[in-house]
C-alpha cells in the first residue's frame, strides 16, 4: 500500500515543503472540524499552542501511517456498504486523509464512493445516516433559498451538484435519499480533478417522493408527501438557480444530476444559455459513450460514419448519446439527415417509428424512423436493423439476452456491446456473457465495473468501464478555471475525443476502451488542459489574461492533501532595539 501512496507525485509538483494555514480555531473544535483535523499528526508544538495537548495519545504520527491504518481497516471489510460507511466516516473526521487515500487508490475505492455502491447507500441513506452533508432545500422553503445558502459555512463555492432525487441511477425515485449522488460526484471533483473540496456544494431539492415504500418508512428523512409537480416546483428551481448566482457569482458551475427524464431536458434547454450548467446524465454520459465508440473504431478500423447504432432505452442518456454521436458524424462530413438514419432506438414500447400506438415526445422526434414491419422484441430489432453497435441505457436489467449477443456476433466480426446501465444489477449483460458468447470478438463497455474475463482458450480480456468520472471532473475543472459562462455540447464532443486519444494501443489490445481507472487523475488533467485550450480558442472563456502555459496553469491549481502547519508564523526582527536611545 505505501508503495502506491506516493506513485502519483508527478501530479503534485507545486507542493511546498512547509505550508502554514491561519486558523482562529483552538482546542477541541479544531479537532472536530474535518478541514483542520489532522488526528495524531498534530505536532507537539501545535498541540501545546493550539490547546489540544493531552486530548490525543502521546505519539505523533505521519500521514503515511494514518493512511496505512485506513487501508488495513478497509481490507478487513468485505461488505461494500460497510466500506462506504467507513470511508464516509473518515471524510467526516479528516478530509485530507480521506482524499489522500482515495486519490492514490482510486481504482479500488471509486466503486465504493461512486457507482455501484453509492446506489445501495442511497437506498439505505436514512438507515446509515450519521452526519448531514450538503444543503437540503424543500418545496416549503420557497422564498427563502438565499437565506438557506447563507447558512452554508463556505463563501467561495465554485461548483454545485444538485438533484431532486427522482431518478437515482437505475433505482428510481429516492427523494431526499438522493443526496448520496451529489456527495459522491463532488468527491470525484476533488479526487479526480483536484478541485478544492470547500469550493464544492452538494444540494438535494426535496419536493416529496412517489416512492410508497419511503413514504411508509419511519426512518425516511424527507417530506412525507407525493412529489410536487405543480408550477411551485418550477418556481422553486428558478429561485434556486437565481440564488446560487446571486450568492456565488454568474460563473458558478451548476451540475444537474438524476432528475427525471421529463425535467432533465427542459431544464437543460431552459438554463443552458442563462447559467453555467450541464446535465451529466445527458451530456456526461454522451461524452464517455462517444469516447468508447471512437476507441472501438480504432480497434476495428472502421470510421464512425459507417456504424449503425441501436439503443435499448430512449430516455435522457440515450438521447444525449445519440445527439453527440450525430454531432460527431456531421463533423466527419455526414449531413444531419444521414447521421440520423444511422441511429435507432428501442424503448419499452418497441422501436421508435412513425405511427406507433405509443406517442413519442418532442426530444425523441429526431430519431423516429419509418416503420420496419413487425418488430416486437429487441432481438427482432437487432435482426432487422443489423446494427454494428448496441448501447443499453434502459436501467431494466439483463435485456441483452444470450440470443441478442449471439445475433450481434453473427452480424459483425467485431460487435460493439455497451451495457451502460447502473448499478451492476441493472446492467444489460455482464462482461463474461458478452465475451464468451462472441468468442472474445466483441468490444464491450459497461457503466459499472466488471473484472477481467478469462476465455476458454486462455486469453484474458479487460473490459472497459464507461464511467462518467472520466469526463465530468476534468470538464468541471476547465470550466471553473477558464470562466466559461455557458457550456456548449461541443465542449463534450471535444472531451470525448480527448478521452479516446488517451487510450494507448497496448490498452486497446487488452480489450480496454478506456484508460485504466488508476490513471484517471492524469486523464482529468489532460482533459482539463484540452478543454481550456478549446474554450479559449473558440471565444467561450471569460477569465483573462489567457494563460500561455495551459498545462502549467491547470496543474498549479491542483489541491494537495498534505497537512498544513497551524503554528503561528513567528520570526525575529534582527538588529532592532526596544530600548530608548540615550544621548
Amino acid at each position: 500500500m505505501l508503495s502506491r501512496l506516493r506513485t502519483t507525485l508527478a501530479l503534485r509538483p507545486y507542493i511546498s515543503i512547509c505550508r502554514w494555514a491561519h486558523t482562529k480555531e483552538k482546542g477541541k473544535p479544531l479537532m472536530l472540524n474535518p478541514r483542520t483535523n489532522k488526528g495524531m499528526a498534530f505536532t507537539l508544538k501545535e498541540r501545546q499552542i493550539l490547546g489540544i495537548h493531552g486530548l490525543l495519545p502521546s505519539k505523533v504520527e505521519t500521514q503515511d501511517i494514518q493512511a496505512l491504518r485506513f487501508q488495513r481497516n478497509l481490507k478487513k471489510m468485505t461488505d461494500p456498504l460497510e466500506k462506504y460507511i467507513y470511508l464516509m466516516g473518515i471524510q467526516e473526521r479528516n478530509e485530507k486523509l480521506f482524499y489522500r487515500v482515495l486519490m492514490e487508490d482510486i481504482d479500488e475505492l471509486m466503486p465504493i464512493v461512486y457507482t455501484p455502491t453509492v446506489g445501495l447507500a442511497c437506498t439505505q441513506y436514512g438507515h446509515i445516516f450519521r452526519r448531514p452533508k450538503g444543503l437540503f432545500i424543500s418545496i416549503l422553503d420557497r422564498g427563502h433559498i438565499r437565506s438557506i445558502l447563507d447558512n452554508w459555512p463556505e463563501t467561495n463555492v465554485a461548483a454545485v451538484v444538485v438533484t431532486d432525487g427522482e431518478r437515482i441511477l437505475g433505482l428510481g425515485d429516492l427523494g431526499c435519499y438522493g443526496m448520496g449522488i451529489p456527495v459522491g460526484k463532488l468527491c470525484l471533483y476533488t479526487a479526480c480533478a483536484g478541485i478544492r473540496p470547500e469550493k464544492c456544494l452538494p444540494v438535494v431539492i426535496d419536493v416529496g417522493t412517489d416512492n410508497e415504500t419511503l413514504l411508509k418508512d419511519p426512518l425516511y428523512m424527507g417530506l412525507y408527501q407525493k412529489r410536487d409537480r405543480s408550477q411551485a416546483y418550477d418556481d422553486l428551481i428558478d429561485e434556486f438557480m437565481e440564488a446560487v448566482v446571486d450568492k456565488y457569482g454568474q460563473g458558478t458551475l451548476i451540475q444537474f444530476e438524476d432528475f427525471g427524464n421529463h425535467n432533465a431536458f427542459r431544464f437543460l434547454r431552459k438554463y443552458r444559455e442563462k447559467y453555467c450548467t450541464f446535465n451529466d446524465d445527458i451530456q456526461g454520459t454522451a461524452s464517455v459513450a462517444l469516447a468508447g465508440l471512437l476507441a472501438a473504431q480504432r480497434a476495428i478500423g472502421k470510421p464512425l460514419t459507417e456504424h449503425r447504432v441501436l439503443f435499448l432505452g430512449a430516455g435522457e442518456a440515450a438521447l444525449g448519446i445519440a445527439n453527440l454521436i450525430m454531432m460527431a458524424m456531421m463533423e466527419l462530413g455526414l449531413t444531419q439527415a444521414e447521421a440520423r438514419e444511422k441511429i435507432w432506438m428501442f424503448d419499452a414500447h418497441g422501436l421508435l417509428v412513425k405511427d406507433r400506438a405509443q406517442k413519442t415526445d418532442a426530444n425523441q422526434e429526431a430519431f423516429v424512423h419509418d416503420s420496419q414491419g413487425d418488430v416486437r422484441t429487441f432481438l427482432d430489432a437487432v435482426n432487422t436493423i443489423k446494427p454494428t453497435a448496441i448501447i443499453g441505457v434502459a436501467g431494466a436489467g439483463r435485456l441483452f439476452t444470450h440470443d441478442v449477443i449471439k445475433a450481434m456476433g453473427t452480424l459483425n466480426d467485431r460487435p460493439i456491446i455497451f451495457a451502460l446501465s447502473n448499478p451492476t444489477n441493472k446492467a444489460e449483460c455482464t462482461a463474461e456473457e458478452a465475451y464468451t458468447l462472441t468468442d472474445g470478438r466483441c468490444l464491450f463497455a459497461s457503466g459499472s465495473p466488471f473484472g477481467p474475463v478469462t476465455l476458454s482458450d486462455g486469453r484474458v480480456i479487460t473490459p472497459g468501464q464507461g464511467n462518467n468520472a472520466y469526463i465530468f471532473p476534468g470538464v468541471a475543472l476547465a470550466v471553473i478555471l477558464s470562466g466559461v459562462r455557458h457550456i456548449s455540447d461541443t465542449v463534450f464532443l471535444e472531451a470525448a475525443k480527448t478521452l479516446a486519444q488517451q487510450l494507448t494501443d497496448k490498452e486497446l489490445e487488452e480489450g480496454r476502451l478506456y484508460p485504466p481507472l488508476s490513471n484517471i487523475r492524469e486523464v482529468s488533467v489532460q482533459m482539463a488542459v484540452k478543454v481550456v485550450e478549446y474554450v479559449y480558442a473558440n471565444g467561450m472563456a471569460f477569465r483573462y489574461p489567457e494563460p500561455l502555459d495551459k498545462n502549467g496553469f491547470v496543474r498549479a491549481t491542483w489541491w494537495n492533501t498534505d497537512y498544513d502547519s497551524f503554528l503561528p508564523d513567528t520570526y525575529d526582527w534582527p538588529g532592532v532595539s526596544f530600548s530608548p536611545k540615550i544621548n
Side-chain angles (χ1 to χ4, degrees):
M1 171 64 184
L2 285 178
S3 64
R4 297 191 61 186
L5 288 174
R6 292 300 180 190
T7 56
T8 53
L9 282 177
L11 280 173
R12 303 165 66 179
Y14 294 90
I15 300 170
S16 59
I17 298 301
C18 184
R19 297 171 3 121
W20 278 267
H22 178 69
T23 178
K24 293 182 179 179
E25 290 183 338
K26 288 190 176 183
K28 192 78 171 182
L30 193 69
M31 298 167 58
L32 295 176
N33 184 344
R35 295 263 151 85
T36 56
N37 182 33
K38 300 194 287 184
M40 290 170 62
F42 283 107
T43 66
L44 181 59
K45 282 188 177 180
E46 285 177 321
R47 298 179 189 198
Q48 292 169 342
I49 291 173
L50 297 172
I52 57 174
H53 191 47
L55 303 183
L56 292 163
S58 301
K59 182 186 178 185
V60 175
E61 288 190 335
T62 64
Q63 195 182 69
D64 285 344
I65 295 299
Q66 292 177 317
L68 180 62
R69 179 183 294 113
F70 191 160
Q71 181 68 10
R72 284 183 175 176
N73 287 337
L74 275 173
K75 284 185 176 179
K76 295 175 185 175
M77 303 173 189
T78 57
D79 178 49
L81 186 59
E82 183 184 9
K83 289 184 178 183
Y84 177 89
I85 294 169
Y86 178 66
L87 282 165
M88 293 299 104
I90 296 292
Q91 185 189 30
E92 292 165 3
R93 297 192 300 274
N94 185 331
E95 190 171 72
K96 288 204 167 187
L97 178 61
F98 167 78
Y99 281 111
R100 155 77 184 270
V101 177
L102 178 58
M103 284 180 178
E104 295 173 346
D105 207 11
I106 192 73
D107 52 331
E108 291 187 20
L109 297 183
M110 185 187 290
I112 304 298
V113 301
Y114 191 48
T115 182
T117 307
V118 71
L120 176 60
C122 285
T123 64
Q124 301 295 315
Y125 195 81
H127 300 254
I128 64 174
F129 180 80
R130 293 187 176 188
R131 182 181 296 183
K133 297 178 181 178
L135 279 181
F136 295 81
I137 298 172
S138 85
I139 191 75
L140 306 178
D141 294 318
R142 280 185 302 147
H144 305 281
I145 294 180
R146 174 54 200 266
S147 64
I148 293 175
L149 290 177
D150 288 339
N151 291 335
W152 186 248
E154 304 295 342
T155 58
N156 193 25
V157 169
V160 176
V161 175
V162 58
T163 185
D164 71 351
E166 184 172 5
R167 196 199 61 83
I168 298 300
L169 301 175
L171 302 169
D173 188 347
L174 296 183
C176 81
Y177 279 7
M179 176 57 90
I181 298 298
V183 169
K185 291 279 184 179
L186 289 171
C187 281
L188 300 187
Y189 269 45
T190 300
C192 299
I195 298 172
R196 299 183 68 88
E198 66 267 24
K199 289 182 174 290
C200 300
L201 173 59
V203 178
V204 68
I205 303 289
D206 184 2
V207 297
T209 177
D210 291 337
N211 187 321
E212 289 293 339
T213 301
L214 294 182
L215 291 175
K216 296 174 182 177
D217 186 351
L219 297 182
Y220 181 60
M221 303 166 69
L223 294 177
Y224 285 102
Q225 66 174 50
K226 288 287 189 178
R227 185 169 287 275
D228 192 319
R229 302 185 186 278
S230 69
Q231 182 60 38
Y233 171 76
D234 281 36
D235 294 343
L236 182 74
I237 303 299
D238 282 344
E239 183 187 349
F240 169 74
M241 300 295 285
E242 292 167 5
V244 167
V245 299
D246 182 60
K247 172 76 174 178
Y248 302 117
Q250 188 65 42
T252 307
L253 173 62
I254 305 173
Q255 175 180 330
F256 279 71
E257 195 67 39
D258 288 352
F259 281 70
N261 288 348
H262 48 293
N263 290 323
F265 281 104
R266 68 188 188 91
F267 285 154
L268 183 59
R269 287 193 300 268
K270 183 176 183 179
Y271 297 130
R272 68 187 308 168
E273 298 300 328
K274 187 176 181 182
Y275 300 100
C276 178
T277 187
F278 73 96
N279 185 302
D280 186 53
D281 303 302
I282 298 172
Q283 295 159 290
T285 300
S287 190
V288 77
L290 176 60
L293 289 176
L294 295 176
Q297 80 172 3
R298 280 173 54 190
I300 298 173
K302 184 177 184 179
L304 183 66
T305 52
E306 294 181 16
H307 284 277
R308 186 180 297 106
V309 183
L310 173 61
F311 286 88
L312 178 62
E316 57 190 287
L319 292 167
I321 298 169
N323 280 303
L324 202 64
I325 291 173
M326 186 172 67
M327 285 179 60
M329 287 181 170
M330 291 170 64
E331 189 177 70
L332 294 171
L334 294 189
T335 66
Q336 186 179 72
E338 289 170 337
R340 285 176 173 174
E341 284 299 317
K342 295 180 176 293
I343 299 170
W344 293 75
M345 294 189 180
F346 187 100
D347 66 7
H349 306 294
L351 274 178
L352 264 62
V353 293
K354 297 174 183 176
D355 301 324
R356 76 173 190 173
Q358 294 78 18
K359 291 184 178 180
T360 55
D361 65 38
N363 299 307
Q364 299 169 328
E365 285 301 318
F367 304 104
V368 174
H369 298 280
D370 291 331
S371 175
Q372 298 298 299
D374 188 21
V375 177
R376 299 185 181 184
T377 67
F378 189 68
L379 177 61
D380 292 339
V382 169
N383 288 324
T384 301
I385 305 302
K386 295 179 171 51
T388 56
I390 54 175
I391 300 178
V393 283
R398 303 288 194 263
L399 295 180
F400 287 177
T401 64
H402 287 196
D403 288 340
V404 166
I405 297 170
K406 289 177 181 177
M408 286 295 294
T410 301
L411 291 168
N412 303 280
D413 290 333
R414 300 294 306 276
I416 299 170
I417 300 174
F418 286 3
L420 299 182
S421 292
N422 286 314
T424 308
N425 65 347
K426 299 291 184 180
E428 285 73 19
C429 69
T430 67
E432 184 174 11
E433 289 169 337
Y435 289 128
T436 56
L437 294 171
T438 61
D439 300 317
R441 292 181 290 115
C442 80
L443 295 156
F444 175 83
S446 58
S448 290
F450 287 101
V453 175
T454 302
L455 300 179
S456 57
D457 59 7
R459 283 182 296 157
V460 178
I461 305 178
T462 304
Q465 184 188 357
N467 195 321
N468 290 20
Y470 284 116
I471 299 293
F472 68 79
V475 168
L477 178 61
V479 166
I480 292 168
L481 293 181
S482 55
V484 170
R485 297 290 178 86
H486 310 293
I487 306 173
S488 166
D489 282 335
T490 58
V491 167
F492 290 95
L493 179 58
E494 189 68 19
K497 291 188 286 188
T498 300
L499 177 56
Q501 290 164 3
Q502 293 188 67
L503 184 73
T504 67
D505 291 338
K506 182 177 182 297
E507 290 162 353
L508 194 60
E509 289 172 3
E510 295 172 351
R512 298 181 186 273
L513 295 179
Y514 301 96
L517 274 177
S518 57
N519 297 344
I520 197 167
R521 295 175 66 209
E522 183 61 29
V523 168
S524 295
V525 168
Q526 296 298 329
M527 178 80 63
V529 171
K530 290 293 186 182
V531 173
V532 167
E533 291 174 351
Y534 179 81
V535 295
Y536 273 105
N538 288 273
M540 300 178 188
F542 283 83
R543 180 159 293 156
Y544 289 95
E546 177 181 348
L548 298 178
D549 178 10
K550 294 178 177 60
N551 182 64
F553 172 62
V554 169
R555 291 181 186 272
T557 66
W558 196 276
W559 182 71
N560 77 78
T561 59
D562 287 353
Y563 288 138
D564 297 318
S565 171
F566 294 117
L567 291 175
D569 186 13
T570 59
Y571 49 94
D572 294 325
W573 290 350
V576 173
S577 172
F578 295 100
S579 300
K581 291 183 178 180
I582 301 175
N583 293 331

